[in-house]
């Protein structure tokens, strides 16, 4: 049996360090925004070569904090892609702003920079570039457009911890990059957690206040702004600090796995990597004629797969009121019918990957 992700095998390798961190938190009895959170924020900023990091409750709240602190409000339009998890647009809508979609590139599945300008109106306030599957968008080109039209630029890097484009991490080209530490992400907590990194001190300070009920710094009962509770807890921060020490190594392992998959798979479309990009392979996604049939066959062979994502956001029942229709984003729509995510996690063995590739190849040859 080859699972889609196996968190247990990773836990076995770091058990002792994790136990020590959790015991520390219990001894200190500081559970929320305590010393472990501060420590992790420092480490995560350093890992991305940036000045500020704010830990928060999850990847969705990270996006909400960034949008809010960067001034996105009621009536603004925020440009993003329909080929992403719905959490990219939830905070836009919560703030009373409107998501405006642009299609993706057929090769990298990232936002197509050539399609951004035609989506810009006088209401456009921000762009959220989504580093889908762990591959960064063409951030220099997107940054150029954002600067030309004076737009806020945010990176949804929930799948792209330590990813680079032209040698730069998320946060370099933008006003803020947001992360999720959902357990299955490349850097995963043992619960919910997220973070925003930014090079702007004022943005960090605004998010700092918004994260904790809008409390004025140093004051307990004066609420300078309308905020809410988006805090990170120290148990999660402790777990994340332990895992962060191994993240580069785990990322290199994912890169090796992706390479081996691409070398051994035949008859399916393997992921394309932009020459300037160094993806971190949150997911390894192939394209095939009928992914549902292939998935069923692999399941019989004991291989788990996933689909990310079968329904483009503009076709989601919950977002019909945005007024999009089938045919609006042909690249995304065509892609969604053909994708299949193969098992991907650092601890996979070469043998397991070869086993998956052989199963895929044999199935395709039998068709
Ligand atoms: C996981 C994910 C999120 C949301 O993260 P949560 O921690 O689940 O709130 C946002 N965007 C993308 C692209 C994601 O993959």
């Amino acid at each position: 049996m080859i699972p889609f992700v196996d968190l247990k095998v990773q836990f076995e390798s770091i058990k002792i360090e994790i136990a020590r961190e959790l015991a520390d938190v219990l001894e200190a009895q500081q559970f929320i925004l305590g010393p472990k959170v501060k420590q992790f924020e420092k480490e995560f900023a350093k890992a991305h070569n940036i000045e500020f990091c704010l830990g928060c409750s999850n990847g969705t709240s990270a996006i909400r904090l960034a949008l809010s602190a960067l001034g996105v409000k009621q009536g603004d339009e925020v440009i993003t892609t329909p080929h992403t998890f719905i959490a990219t647009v939830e905070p836009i809508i919560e703030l009373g702003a409107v998501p405006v979609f642009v299609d993706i590139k057929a090769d990298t599945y990232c936002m197509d920079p050539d399609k951004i300008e035609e989506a810009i109106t006088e209401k456009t306030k921000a762009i959220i570039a989504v580093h889908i599957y762990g591959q960064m968008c063409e951030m220099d080109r997107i940054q150029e457009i954002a600067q030309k039209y004076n737009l806020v630029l945010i990176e949804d890097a929930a799948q792209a911890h330590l990813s680079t484009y032209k040698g730069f991490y998320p946060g370099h080209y933008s006003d803020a990059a947001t992360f999720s530490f959902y357990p299955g992400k490349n850097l995963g907590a043992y619960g919910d957690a997220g973070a925003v990194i930014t090079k702007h001190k004022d943005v960090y300070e605004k998010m700092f206040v918004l994260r904790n009920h809008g409390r004025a710094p140093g004051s307990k009962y004066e609420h300078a702004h309308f905020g809410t509770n988006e805090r990170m807890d120290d148990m999660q921060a402790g777990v994340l600090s332990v895992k962060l020490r191994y993240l580069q190594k785990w990322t290199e392992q994912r890169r090796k796995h992706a390479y081996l998959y691409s070398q051994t798979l035949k008859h399916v479309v393997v992921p394309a990597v932009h020459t300037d990009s160094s993806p971190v392979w949150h997911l390894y996604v192939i394209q095939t004629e009928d992914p549902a049939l292939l998935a069923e066959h692999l399941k019989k062979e004991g291989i788990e797969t996933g689909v990310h994502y079968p329904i483009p956001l503009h076709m989601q029942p919950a977002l019909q009121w945005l007024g999009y229709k089938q045919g609006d984003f042909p690249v995304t729509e065509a892609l969604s019918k053909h994708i299949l995510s193969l098992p991907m996690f650092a601890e996979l063995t070469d043998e397991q990957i070869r086993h998956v590739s052989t199963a895929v190849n044999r199935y395709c040859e039998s068709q």
Side-chain angles (χ1 to χ4, degrees):
M1 159 59 190
I2 303 181
F4 185 63
V5 208
D6 186 342
L7 299 177
K8 187 75 194 295
V9 52
Q10 182 182 83
F11 173 64
E12 293 299 334
S13 73
I14 53 173
K15 226 174 185 167
I16 295 169
E17 290 163 273
I18 295 285
R20 205 181 295 138
E21 287 293 319
L22 298 184
D24 274 359
V25 176
L26 292 171
E27 285 303 328
Q29 292 283 301
Q30 283 187 278
F31 298 108
I32 308 270
L33 298 183
K36 296 282 182 195
V37 172
K38 282 204 187 71
Q39 178 68 23
F40 172 70
E41 288 174 335
K42 220 192 277 170
E43 293 164 354
F44 195 70
K46 185 154 178 271
H48 288 89
N49 200 16
I50 201 162
E51 201 164 350
F52 303 101
C53 170
L54 185 101
C56 61
S57 48
N58 55 64
T60 314
S61 71
I63 299 170
R64 185 169 44 235
L65 286 164
L67 285 167
S68 246
L70 285 158
V72 172
K73 55 183 189 326
Q74 183 102 27
D76 289 342
E77 292 179 355
V78 179
I79 293 174
T80 190
T81 56
H83 183 61
T84 179
F85 184 52
I86 194 162
T88 306
V89 304
E90 287 162 354
I92 301 173
I93 294 165
E94 265 185 291
L95 291 170
V98 181
V100 172
F101 295 125
V102 298
D103 215 343
I104 54 170
K105 292 184 52 153
D107 52 0
T108 61
Y109 318 145
C110 287
M111 176 180 272
D112 187 343
D114 289 330
K115 302 210 174 109
I116 298 173
E117 287 198 79
E118 62 203 50
I120 294 175
T121 71
E122 67 277 14
K123 288 186 181 162
T124 308
K125 172 75 184 177
I127 299 173
I128 303 182
V130 184
H131 303 326
I132 200 76
Y133 307 153
Q135 170 156 223
M136 283 178 66
C137 301
E138 290 163 72
M139 288 310 299
D140 49 351
R141 295 188 57 200
I142 298 175
Q143 181 188 39
E144 204 175 296
I145 297 167
Q147 283 172 347
K148 181 172 162 193
Y149 293 91
N150 198 22
L151 304 176
V152 162
L153 180 54
I154 294 170
E155 296 167 79
D156 180 348
Q159 306 184 356
H161 320 74
L162 296 186
S163 197
T164 61
Y165 177 77
K166 295 201 168 168
F168 293 109
Y169 292 118
H172 174 83
Y173 291 99
S174 64
D175 296 299
T178 65
F179 294 86
S180 166
F181 305 121
Y182 182 79
K185 297 285 159 85
N186 287 27
L187 178 61
Y190 290 150
D192 271 316
V196 188
I197 58 175
T198 178
K199 56 195 171 202
H200 306 306
K201 187 163 192 246
D202 61 324
V203 173
Y204 167 79
E205 285 171 347
K206 277 185 194 153
M207 294 191 300
F208 188 92
V209 170
L210 291 171
R211 170 181 70 174
N212 194 12
H213 303 294
R215 233 169 230 170
S219 156
K220 200 159 183 187
Y221 296 110
E222 187 193 316
H223 302 276
H225 295 273
F226 187 79
T228 177
N229 176 357
E230 307 186 274
R231 298 179 300 228
M232 181 185 261
D233 74 75
D234 280 51
M235 295 242 186
Q236 301 311 331
V239 167
L240 290 166
S241 281
V242 170
K243 289 193 172 198
L244 185 57
R245 294 175 207 142
Y246 299 96
L247 188 58
Q248 192 62 50
K249 180 180 122 194
W250 290 336
T251 301
E252 292 311 326
Q253 286 171 323
R254 284 174 183 270
R255 286 179 173 143
K256 269 183 55 201
H257 300 337
Y259 181 78
L260 186 56
Y261 266 137
S262 294
Q263 291 294 305
T264 51
L265 285 166
K266 300 172 202 159
H267 323 294
V268 295
V269 180
V270 299
V273 176
H274 189 282
T275 45
D276 292 319
S277 208
S278 196
V280 293
W281 304 100
H282 173 56
L283 295 169
Y284 185 90
V285 176
I286 58 167
Q287 283 188 68
T288 185
E289 190 49 39
D290 193 336
L293 284 179
L294 176 56
E296 204 180 286
H297 170 79
L298 293 176
K299 195 173 166 196
K300 279 188 214 136
E301 303 247 318
I303 298 164
E304 282 180 4
T305 57
V307 181
H308 305 86
Y309 300 88
I311 308 172
L313 290 191
H314 69 288
M315 301 304 291
Q316 287 288 355
L319 298 175
Q320 281 318 291
W321 58 274
L322 289 173
Y324 290 105
K325 58 184 189 314
Q326 189 144 17
D328 283 346
F329 305 103
V331 182
T332 295
E333 288 169 29
L335 183 72
S336 68
K337 294 186 181 75
H338 297 294
I339 42 180
L340 190 68
S341 310
L342 300 182
M344 175 55 89
F345 51 95
E347 297 78 9
L348 275 169
T349 64
D350 285 4
E351 195 189 345
Q352 286 175 310
I353 294 187
R354 285 180 198 281
H355 180 77
V356 174
S357 287
T358 305
V360 172
N361 293 345
R362 259 203 251 122
Y363 174 78
C364 293
E365 279 152 22
S366 74
Q367 290 310 289

